Amino acid sequence: DADVTQTPRNRITKTGKRIMLECSQTKGHDRMYWYRQDPGLGLRLIYYSFDVKDINKGEISDGYSVSRQAQAKFSLSLESAIPNQTALYFCATSGGLAGGWDEQFFGPGTRLTVL
Amino acid sequence: GQNIDQPTEMTATEGAIVQINCTYQTSGFNGLFWYQQHAGEAPTFLSYNVLDGLEEKGRFSSFLSRSKGYSYLLLKELQMKDSASYLCAVIKAAGNKLTFGGGTRVLVKP
């Protein structure tokens, strides 16, 4: 079974709709992240959480919100989706610096299309 | 802020060597990662450099010069399966967040 899972894997929605993307992990990691990926722009950080009570904005948080329901779950919401939020969304987890560096492990991605 | 630059695309021949350069400008630098990403898939970890020098892992090597703000990923004995995007990412000590470059798409031809 995959260590980091995302649901749904694909979603098509309309402008103005509320959308929630979910991420679960079985790695036992405290740190979780949400990124979006657009062609030519690489991965950009939306929000991140270093433990259940910690939520931080990334570089492009406008139009998004998150909820850390448990150590293993981190969801991303688009309150009112707009077409320029069409992108590939990745969740990632990391375990901190215990191993010498804080490697991030990525989920399979959610392809979101906003019409 | 951080600027991370890498070429958009490179083409190489099966069995050859390709070097992907990454330059960065950042304060509080605490390491540089390289990830591989096949089309439509999740990025996967390749290497991490925090000290100057070369790290070798089989066919892949990564080099870092902190004073020059420069890294490269070297792929040797290219195989068709190496066709993918390669992402350079810098981590800062404060906040422990990764900032990614735009990625370099490598196409390996027979």
Side-chain angles (χ1 to χ4, degrees):
Chain A
D1 286 343
D3 295 319
V4 185
T5 57
Q6 293 183 231
T7 55
R9 296 293 313 279
N10 286 282
R11 180 73 184 268
I12 300 173
T13 190
K14 294 182 178 179
T15 297
K17 293 291 189 182
R18 184 177 188 275
I19 297 297
M20 179 180 285
L21 309 183
E22 299 193 5
C23 177
S24 294
Q25 51 110 350
T26 58
K27 298 188 75 69
H29 286 166
D30 285 327
R31 301 179 177 190
M32 298 187 74
Y33 311 80
W34 275 105
Y35 294 90
R36 67 176 278 176
Q37 187 173 39
D38 300 276
L41 292 178
L43 288 155
R44 291 182 292 166
L45 184 63
I46 306 172
Y47 271 96
Y48 63 102
S49 168
F50 282 176
D51 64 44
V52 175
K53 297 179 181 178
D54 177 72
I55 300 288
N56 303 282
K57 291 182 177 182
E59 60 181 296
I60 53 161
S61 57
D62 287 350
Y64 301 94
S65 62
V66 290
S67 174
R68 184 80 185 266
Q69 301 95 323
Q71 186 205 39
K73 295 184 183 297
F74 193 36
S75 60
L76 176 73
S77 294
L78 287 68
E79 296 301 325
S80 179
I82 55 177
N84 77 1
Q85 291 177 312
T86 293
L88 186 56
Y89 289 84
F90 285 102
C91 173
T93 75
S94 70
L97 292 166
W101 63 79
D102 194 18
E103 177 186 343
Q104 291 188 18
F105 297 84
F106 287 82
T110 295
R111 187 166 295 281
L112 177 67
T113 303
V114 183
L115 302 176
Chain B
Q2 295 175 128
N3 280 337
I4 302 173
D5 293 312
Q6 49 182 132
T8 304
E9 194 168 292
M10 302 180 75
T11 302
T13 305
E14 193 175 14
I17 297 172
V18 70
Q19 177 174 314
I20 306 168
N21 296 325
C22 173
T23 58
Y24 63 88
Q25 296 171 339
T26 186
S27 56
F29 175 85
N30 201 38
L32 186 143
F33 288 84
W34 284 96
Y35 279 81
Q36 180 190 59
Q37 185 181 24
H38 286 97
E41 298 183 10
T44 55
F45 170 82
L46 285 179
S47 69
Y48 174 71
N49 294 70
V50 65
L51 300 176
D52 286 358
L54 189 68
E55 295 280 344
E56 296 187 83
K57 264 192 193 180
R59 294 188 298 113
F60 292 5
S61 303
S62 56
F63 171 83
L64 176 68
S65 169
R66 294 176 69 127
S67 61
K68 295 182 179 177
Y70 168 69
S71 174
Y72 67 72
L73 179 70
L74 195 69
L75 286 64
K76 295 180 259 189
E77 300 169 19
L78 279 171
Q79 301 175 8
M80 298 300 290
K81 67 178 182 180
D82 297 330
S83 291
S85 288
Y86 293 84
L87 312 179
C88 170
V90 168
I91 192 162
K92 295 178 72 168
N96 212 50
K97 297 174 292 180
L98 277 180
T99 300
F100 285 85
T104 299
R105 192 166 73 175
V106 171
L107 177 62
V108 181
K109 294 185 173 179

